[in-house]
């Protein structure tokens, strides 16, 4: 029993140190943003640190700011990797998309604000699918939302969701889809 207690305490200390390091790094990024508020890479890094700190919605919200900064700097990235979470079967990378549809001033058609790249666990992970949170726009206004995936030359829809859903709701829905 003593061995288990010691192991638990070691794990708790390591987790605490990791959280403190990330908190310190986030403070450094915040300070750097005061002097370089238009630096898109600093905003990108802030998104990653927020995600790692469990502030996933805040990370997603700030990714929209980072996208604006990348556009203003005329720097083209396809996406930003915000962070990762795991299930019992998969590692899932969350990417904030920054393609032409997401960068458009007036959106029309399907826009994929963020995606979930699903990998197997293990020493040699394999990408098994990419699920997208999709917003359907008409005349610049959101009219529908769904979880979907591009499949070859087609598209699969895994169910509609409320367009106003927060990240935790979308994440939960993605995990439910993967559990099937």
């Amino acid at each position: 029993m003593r061995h288990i207690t010691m192991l638990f305490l070691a794990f708790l200390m390591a987790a605490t140190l990791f959280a403190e390091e990330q908190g310190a790094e986030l403070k450094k990024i915040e300070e750097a943003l005061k002097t370089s508020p238009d630096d898109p890479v600093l905003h990108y890094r802030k998104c990653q640190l927020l995600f790692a700190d469990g502030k996933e919605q805040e990370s997603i919200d700030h990714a929209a700011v980072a996208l604006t900064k990348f556009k203003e700097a005329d720097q083209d990235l396809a996406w930003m990797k915000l962070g990762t979470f795991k299930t019992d079967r998969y590692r899932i990378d969350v990417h904030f998309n920054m393609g032409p549809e997401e960068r458009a001033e007036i959106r029309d058609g399907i826009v994929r604000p963020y995606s979930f790249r699903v990998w197997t666990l293990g020493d040699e992970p394999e990408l098994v699918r990419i699920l997208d949170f999709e917003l359907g726009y008409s005349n610049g206004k959101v009219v529908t939302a769904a979880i979907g995936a591009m499949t070859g030359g087609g598209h699969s829809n895994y169910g509609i969701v409320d367009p106003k859903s927060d990240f935790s709701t979308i994440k939960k829905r993605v995990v439910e889809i993967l559990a099937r």
Side-chain angles (χ1 to χ4, degrees):
M1 185 69 165
R2 179 175 155 79
H3 182 62
I4 292 171
T5 303
M6 295 299 286
L7 186 61
F8 175 75
L9 287 174
F11 175 75
L12 188 60
M13 287 175 50
T16 302
L17 287 173
F18 180 72
E20 288 175 6
E21 286 175 15
Q22 289 197 305
E25 191 172 345
L26 182 57
K27 285 180 184 177
K28 287 179 189 175
I29 294 294
E30 292 287 354
E31 285 301 312
L33 281 168
K34 288 178 183 175
T35 57
S36 301
D38 295 325
D39 184 333
V41 176
L42 289 175
H43 286 280
Y44 181 0
R45 186 68 185 128
K46 178 178 178 178
C47 295
Q48 291 176 321
L49 291 167
L50 289 168
F51 197 96
D53 194 31
K55 298 174 183 170
E56 296 169 338
Q57 185 63 54
E58 200 173 331
S59 173
I60 291 287
D61 294 342
H62 196 75
V65 173
L67 170 60
T68 299
K69 298 302 180 184
F70 275 101
K71 284 171 50 177
E72 290 170 355
D74 201 24
Q75 292 183 8
D76 221 4
L77 288 180
W79 45 264
M80 293 181 285
K81 180 180 174 189
L82 300 181
T84 299
F85 65 94
K86 290 182 181 179
T87 68
D88 59 335
R89 295 176 54 201
Y90 302 109
R91 181 191 88 218
I92 300 138
D93 295 336
V94 179
H95 291 242
F96 189 86
N97 297 319
M98 301 195 321
E101 293 86 4
E102 292 77 29
R103 287 175 172 259
E105 293 301 318
I106 298 176
R107 296 179 172 117
D108 203 32
I110 301 297
V111 175
R112 296 172 184 86
Y114 46 92
S115 298
F116 300 83
R117 287 176 171 78
V118 182
W119 300 83
T120 58
L121 296 175
D123 293 336
E124 295 183 32
E126 291 183 37
L127 181 65
V128 292
R129 66 195 321 180
I130 299 172
L131 296 173
D132 298 304
F133 172 54
E134 303 172 339
L135 294 172
Y137 282 82
S138 180
N139 297 319
K141 295 183 183 189
V142 175
V143 293
T144 188
I147 306 297
M150 298 305 293
T151 53
H155 178 267
S156 295
N157 187 321
Y158 296 104
I160 62 170
V161 294
D162 183 340
K164 296 177 185 167
S165 296
D166 63 4
F167 180 78
S168 66
T169 301
I170 300 302
K171 178 181 170 181
K172 179 180 176 187
R173 184 74 179 110
V174 164
V175 171
E176 289 169 357
I177 291 165
L178 293 172
R180 291 187 209 159

